[in-house]
Amino acid sequence: MDKLEAKNVNVFYGLNKVINDVSISIKPNSVTAFIGPSGCGKSTFLRLFNRMNDYIDIFKMEGKVEIDGKNIYDKAIRVEELRKKVGMVFQKPNPFPKTIYENIVYGLRIQGIKDKNILDETVEKSLKQAALWEEVKDKLKNSALALSGGQQQRLCIARTLAVEPTVILMDEPASALDPISSAKVEELIYELKNNYTIVIVTHNMQQAARVSDTTAFFYMGELIEHDSTKIIFTNPKNERTQNYVTGRFG
Amino acid sequence: MPRLKEKIIVTGLASAAIVTILTTIGIIWVLLSQTIEFFSDVSLFDFLTDTQWTPLFADKHFGILPLVAGTFLTTFIAILVALPIGLTIAVYLNEYAPKSFRKIVKPLLEILAAVPTVVYGFFALAVITPFLQMLIPGMAGFNALSAGIVMGIMIIPLITSLSEDALFAVPMSLREASYGMGSTRLQTAFKVMVPAASSGIIVSVILGISRAIGETMIVAIAAGQQPRLTLNPLVPIETITTYIVQVSTGDVAHGSLEYRTIFAAGMALFVFTFILNNISYWVKKKFQEKYE
């Protein structure tokens, strides 16, 4: 069964239609890249999967978005529960102004988990998964803001992993990082694929080509083409996709 | 001669700036010289340790403690009222309120800030005190409690406005991070936003305290004018500011020792607010989280 599925989705900001009749299926334990020029709607579309657009006053949606076959915009769905299952990593590293430790356990604390053993274990496990443990294990009580940008972003990934989601949405997770940090985040995404379903929005073609299994090209609010990454980058069916991935526009 | 014209204008601007500096120096000089003369008659030790303040009576005592106690009692009550209410309003406006509601409430709060303090004082005496007397039988007509409560109401806009600015300055990305991990709005507000804005909130409280310590009219009208070393909020007390009003408007001879007491009291007041304002400046500089 598909992990994520959108069916005939339209999104409006006020009278502006920003997503036009998009349907897509995403397999479990895969990495899907959303590419397309700025303003094409790929970030908005990504944020549908954890209902992050809900806070925008003028946001309106039509159609169905399903995770594990369940419509997440159903009235019976508690949005807080949904977001524990669907984690998100943002463009700019956004650690809380707390210690490294407190950043990681935040998601557990808000669920009311107080057991110190569980918290400690989660911190170690998540930081190891995010390939950050060796760098920070001796300074867990230091402020997260003292870390470098790349470390902060891996901390944010670790923080997301700590709540044990099954899906991770990444909105240009490496665009604010230097090339070396960026490479580390990419490696990490590749590792995480084994256990999570990952959707990543990126402006970086090489990155999309390197990390993803399938790629979806968005243009002007429409999904132009979604296929295996290999096909999108070597032999796309649509001319606009061809032009975009070869750098002729965008 | 455009250069000469420019010089004249620059000189004019500079002298305007110098006037404020000279005024400050002048005030401090007057305060200081009169205070020094005061302390040639009264020892600093008595001033700081005597538990009675009776400069206008035959048996004179010059202990500032009763006035300090009155000042801090009313201030403490005021902050107890203003901080929870002011912060709650700030959190509500920043995290929950629809834009349209915010547009109505913010100007209303500014009106609250623009009410003359004499009106607040009258409100304390004529409305709050009788109301409290129904709840607390035996409460005196003049007391620290109702003056403190009303002073708290007066400070709410200050706390709300500064705290809201601090909350507003917390980047949207932190809120998104919190929501993204499944926090409710309430958890996001109090576990992420308020701690992230804490330096600004602390500054708002310190400035609120500073404002309450210097407040005169409300306590002069509603708190009574009896210097008394007590922490009982139900009896009449006197604050430093009220004492200064009492003597300035009375018929104490200029240049007398009694007259100089108001400068000593004024100096004490000045020291308190000066220290508090500096702490707030320091907190702001030292603890403000740097966001890009």
Side-chain angles (χ1 to χ4, degrees), chain B residues 11-34:
Chain B
T11 314
L13 294 176
S15 33
I18 289 169
V19 165
T20 65
I21 299 172
L22 289 180
T23 314
T24 313
I25 294 174
I27 290 173
I28 293 175
W29 186 76
V30 170
L31 262 182
L32 210 59
S33 61
Q34 295 282 340

Side-chain angles (χ1 to χ4, degrees), chain B residues 210-243:
Chain B
S210 195
R211 179 92 171 72
I213 287 178
E215 170 51 33
T216 310
M217 221 50 209
I218 297 173
V219 278
I221 294 175
Q225 303 194 338
Q226 299 175 22
R228 191 191 300 249
L229 186 55
T230 177
L231 290 178
N232 179 1
L234 305 178
V235 296
I237 48 98
E238 181 159 53
T239 66
I240 300 174
T241 51
T242 323
Y243 174 74

Side-chain angles (χ1 to χ4, degrees), chain A residues 102-131:
Chain A
E102 283 304 319
N103 263 279
I104 304 286
V105 300
Y106 177 81
L108 301 182
R109 287 212 195 277
I110 59 170
Q111 293 176 35
I113 297 169
K114 292 199 182 80
D115 186 332
K116 189 153 184 329
N117 291 330
I118 296 179
L119 297 180
D120 287 349
E121 271 169 35
T122 307
V123 168
E124 182 169 347
K125 188 173 147 221
S126 319
L127 284 171
K128 277 182 175 161
Q129 268 184 297

Side-chain angles (χ1 to χ4, degrees), chain A residues 117-244:
Chain A
N117 291 330
I118 296 179
L119 297 180
D120 287 349
E121 271 169 35
T122 307
V123 168
E124 182 169 347
K125 188 173 147 221
S126 319
L127 284 171
K128 277 182 175 161
Q129 268 184 297
L132 190 61
W133 175 250
E134 290 303 322
E135 289 160 61
V136 302
K137 65 180 176 192
D138 298 323
K139 44 182 182 181
L140 295 176
K141 300 291 174 192
N142 290 12
S143 168
L145 299 182
L147 297 173
S148 74
Q151 289 174 324
Q152 286 188 6
Q153 192 63 307
R154 277 178 286 147
L155 176 71
C156 291
I157 293 173
R159 181 175 69 182
T160 304
L161 298 177
V163 262
E164 300 187 327
T166 57
V167 179
I168 302 174
L169 310 174
M170 297 186 170
D171 194 351
E172 300 187 47
S175 68
L177 305 180
D178 64 86
I180 293 170
S181 306
S182 178
K184 279 189 183 159
V185 170
E186 278 182 29
E187 262 171 53
L188 183 56
I189 293 170
Y190 205 79
E191 291 285 315
L192 294 173
K193 183 173 87 167
N194 298 322
N195 300 306
Y196 303 90
T197 307
I198 297 172
V199 185
I200 173 172
V201 163
T202 179
H203 270 121
N204 182 331
M205 292 303 119
Q206 287 81 22
Q207 187 176 72
R210 280 192 298 262
V211 303
S212 67
D213 301 305
T214 71
T215 296
F217 173 59
F218 287 82
Y219 185 65
M220 308 257 299
E222 292 184 27
L223 174 59
I224 305 297
E225 196 169 349
H226 179 212
D227 212 324
S228 85
T229 298
K230 204 174 164 199
I231 290 178
I232 293 286
F233 279 93
T234 55
N235 190 19
K237 294 182 190 68
N238 191 292
E239 197 187 338
R240 278 178 293 187
T241 315
Q242 168 91 35
N243 287 342
Y244 186 74

